Amino acid sequence: KTPRAVYLLFHGGGWVFGDAAGQNDPRLEAMCAELGIAVVVPDYRKAPEDPFPAALDDCEAAAAWVEANANNVFGTDVLIIGGESAGGNLCAATLLRRRDAHRRLKSNASFPWRLANLVYGIYDVEGTPSVAAFGDRRLVETARDVQFFGDSYCPDRSKRSDPQVSPLKGNLTGMPPAMFTVGTEDALLDDTLLMYQAWTAGAGNQGSLDVWPEGPHGVGHFGPHQNTPLGLACRARIHRRIDAFLKGLEAASGAGDDAAAAAAVADRRRGRWRLKMALALVLAAAIPDKWFFRRRRVRVYW
C-alpha cells in the first residue's frame, strides 16, 4: 500500500548520543502500521566531537533530499517532519532553513512540509525559566544535564541566540501547522509553552498543544513513562492528531489516484533501498569518511 505520507523524524539524545538504527524501532514500526505512513530517521553527527552546525547541516541535507525524492521513492508528496527532545530543536531549525531556502528560490510552489510534530524539544539553548527552576531533580534529566548538552552542542555561548541554535528566537512566520507535546514535570516545559505561543499567536501559524500532567521528559517515547498508561495515552494522542490531519488532506484531494497508487506499490521494495543508498550518498560529501562509514546513516520504517 502506498504510504499516506512520509514522516522525517530527528531522534533525541541531547545532540550527544542516540542513533537512527534501533533506538526507536518498536515504537516507529507500530506507528507505521497504525497510520499507514513511511518513517525516515536519518542519523546526524554528534557533539561534542562535531558541535553546531554539524548536526543541523546533516538534518537539513536529509530534509532537502526527502523534498526532492519522496514522490519518486514513496509515491507521495505529503511530507511531515518531527523531532523529539534535541531532535525537536533540529526539526524547528531545519524548518527555518528550508523555509528560507524556498523563499530564496522565489518559487510559486507551496512549502512542502505540511505538518510538524514537535515533542518536548529544547528551543532556547540559552535556557528558559523552567530549566533554571528544575534544579537537580532526577526525572530523566536534571537542569545540569540540559546545560551539559547545550555546552556540548554549542560551546560558543555568543552563538546561542542564533535562531539556528535556539529556534525560539527566530522569525517563525510561514511555518506549517505544528503539534506540540510536553509533560508538566519536564525541565523543558517552558521551551514548549513559549514555542507554541511564538508559533501560533506570535507568528500566525496553526498549532495544537498537549501538556501531560506529571509527565517527565520523554513521556510516551522513552524513559519511565514510555509504556505506562500515561505514556501510551500521550503517544495515542499524537497518532490521532496525525491521522486526523491526513484524513483532512485526503478528503480535500479526493483520496488520490488508483493508477498512481498501483505503480507506487510495484516500486515499493526498490524504493526502500533507493532511499537508503541515495540519502547516504547525498550526505556523504558533508561528512568525514571515517565517521560516515562506521555509522548506519538512515533507518526507514515502511
Side-chain angles (χ1 to χ4, degrees):
K1 187 176 181 180
T2 303
R4 302 165 72 195
V6 175
Y7 177 33
L8 176 63
L9 172 65
F10 303 127
H11 69 79
W15 306 283
V16 170
F17 58 87
D19 58 45
Q23 180 171 329
N24 300 300
D25 281 359
R27 173 166 61 86
L28 295 180
E29 288 166 359
M31 185 182 199
C32 288
E34 180 180 339
L35 295 176
I37 63 176
V39 181
V40 179
V41 185
D43 214 337
Y44 51 83
R45 285 170 286 175
K46 303 298 188 299
E49 293 83 0
D50 292 292
F52 171 82
L56 180 56
D57 289 344
D58 293 347
C59 291
E60 187 194 10
W65 190 94
V66 170
E67 291 174 18
N69 293 280
N71 209 2
N72 179 53
V73 172
F74 292 104
T76 180
D77 60 0
V78 178
L79 305 184
I80 302 172
I81 191 169
E84 301 156 4
S85 193
N89 171 285
L90 293 169
C91 174
T94 294
L95 281 171
L96 289 174
R97 280 191 173 187
R98 297 311 300 155
R99 179 204 61 191
D100 292 346
H102 283 272
R103 285 178 174 176
R104 287 194 295 271
L105 292 174
K106 298 181 179 179
S107 170
N108 291 326
S110 59
F111 193 44
W113 298 100
R114 306 288 190 90
L115 178 68
N117 181 32
L118 296 167
V119 185
Y120 47 76
I122 175 169
Y123 306 115
D124 185 353
V125 179
E126 290 188 303
T128 56
S130 62
V131 173
F134 202 75
D136 291 329
R137 286 193 296 158
R138 172 60 67 182
L139 292 175
V140 180
E141 62 183 8
T142 67
R144 190 174 302 176
D145 294 331
V146 175
Q147 181 179 354
F148 166 77
F149 292 139
D151 289 343
S152 299
Y153 179 56
C154 188
D156 185 348
R157 291 179 176 270
S158 68
K159 293 182 179 180
R160 294 188 186 182
S161 60
D162 185 333
Q164 295 187 55
V165 178
S166 298
L168 180 59
K169 299 179 182 295
N171 174 3
L172 298 173
T173 58
M175 292 287 103
M179 303 156 40
F180 292 89
T181 301
V182 73
T184 59
E185 298 302 311
D186 191 333
L188 299 175
L189 173 62
D190 283 350
D191 285 70
T192 288
L193 299 181
L194 293 170
M195 190 64 161
Y196 170 74
Q197 179 72 11
W199 196 280
T200 55
N205 306 302
Q206 297 179 14
S208 64
L209 173 64
D210 290 306
V211 181
W212 293 91
E214 300 183 7
H217 192 67
V219 60
H221 296 75
F222 66 86
H225 279 292
Q226 178 175 350
N227 292 311
T228 63
L230 177 66
L232 293 175
C234 172
R235 200 153 68 241
R237 175 74 61 83
I238 290 174
H239 289 193
R240 286 197 300 271
R241 287 195 182 280
I242 294 174
D243 182 57
F245 181 84
L246 293 176
K247 284 178 178 176
L249 292 182
E250 290 158 0
S253 66
D257 180 77
D258 291 341
V265 169
D267 266 353
R268 176 179 171 182
R269 186 175 298 274
R270 284 176 295 172
R272 292 174 179 173
W273 289 104
R274 286 202 303 269
L275 178 66
K276 291 179 181 180
M277 295 306 296
L279 185 54
L281 291 173
V282 80
L283 295 177
I287 301 172
D289 287 348
K290 181 178 179 182
W291 187 92
F292 175 72
F293 286 111
R294 70 180 172 87
R295 296 296 297 273
R296 296 186 65 177
R297 289 300 304 140
V298 65
R299 193 76 150 188
V300 181
Y301 306 82
W302 187 1

